[in-house]
Amino acid sequence: KNLSSNTSKMKLAIAAVILGSAAAFSPSTFGVRQSTAIFNEGHIGSGGMADTRIVETLQHEDPRKSISAAPSFEEYLKSRGDAAAAPAPAPAAAAPAPAAPAAPAAPAAPAAPAAVPSAAAPGSDGFQYGIYDGQKWDHDAKKAVYDQWDPTAPRSTLNFNPFETFGGNSPDASGIYPGENRYKDPIRGDVSYAIMMAEKADIEAMQANPKAGDAPGAPGRKN
């Protein structure tokens, strides 16, 4: 009797296990919300098929959960037309034209040559020194005396070639050479290699184009 009772209990336990396993694999509908638009009252299109994309509007207290109404096809086309008709952005303004270059400054006028001094009056002995006696005896002063020199007139303290050498020496501001009576050591100008080269070129140009009558033995020459 006890064996029969145990066998019945074991059968009931096995049956309960089998039923519980079957319930575990059956689909549950708890918490499932089915779309009424799909399963209840689906919209039937012209082809006879249900349109499952129709969603009813929903106003929820949480804006994130609200569903707004979709625009109609006409409204969609109108919105596209308005976008196409929107005016094109205005072109960027042209860059301003560059300012005209400033006109080059006019070259400065050359400095006026220094005025040639007048000859001093003869001394008590009747001797008259040159116009640059006691003044700077530089290349410019010599050129001023050279411009006044007349080779055809008698040589004097006021008419001589300051660039003519005699015995390897140059004259002073009165045309007097070293070793001669009344010679004065002149007040010389600045000296540099560049100045010496410029004066040398100037003298060579004058020698290449001598004045009329400038020849050996002329009245206005020392030689």
Side-chain angles (χ1 to χ4, degrees):
K1 182 178 180 180
N2 292 332
L3 180 60
S4 176
S5 176
N6 291 336
T7 300
S8 298
K9 291 180 180 180
M10 184 176 294
K11 289 180 179 180
L12 290 175
I14 292 172
V17 171
I18 293 174
L19 291 177
S21 299
F25 290 97
S26 63
S28 175
T29 59
F30 178 75
V32 176
R33 180 181 180 182
Q34 298 180 352
S35 173
T36 57
I38 297 176
F39 299 103
N40 294 343
E41 297 180 0
H43 176 72
I44 303 302
S46 59
M49 301 296 293
D51 188 356
T52 60
R53 294 173 296 175
I54 298 178
V55 180
E56 296 180 355
T57 60
L58 174 64
Q59 296 296 330
H60 197 276
E61 59 182 4
D62 187 353
R64 295 174 298 177
K65 298 181 180 180
S66 298
I67 301 176
S68 58
S72 63
F73 186 69
E74 290 78 6
E75 292 174 343
Y76 169 74
L77 292 179
K78 183 179 179 180
S79 63
R80 290 293 301 272
D82 292 342
V116 178
S118 301
S124 58
D125 58 354
F127 185 83
Q128 188 176 20
Y129 286 94
I131 58 178
Y132 281 96
D133 179 60
Q135 301 183 46
K136 182 182 288 187
W137 186 234
D138 57 3
H139 188 72
D140 292 337
K142 294 178 181 180
K143 287 186 64 175
V145 173
Y146 178 83
D147 291 340
Q148 296 181 354
W149 173 54
D150 181 6
T152 62
R155 188 177 188 279
S156 67
T157 58
L158 302 179
N159 186 56
F160 67 95
N161 181 2
F163 299 107
E164 183 183 10
T165 59
F166 180 73
N169 297 314
S170 298
D172 64 4
S174 299
I176 303 172
Y177 292 90
E180 295 181 342
N181 189 27
R182 293 190 175 90
Y183 172 79
K184 291 183 179 181
D185 193 20
I187 304 173
R188 295 177 174 83
D190 297 332
V191 178
S192 69
Y193 180 79
I195 293 176
M196 291 175 61
M197 291 297 101
E199 293 178 355
K200 180 176 181 293
D202 200 11
I203 293 173
E204 290 176 351
M206 288 187 290
Q207 292 175 347
N209 298 279
K211 286 189 174 185
D214 181 11
R221 287 178 58 108
K222 182 70 173 179
N223 300 306

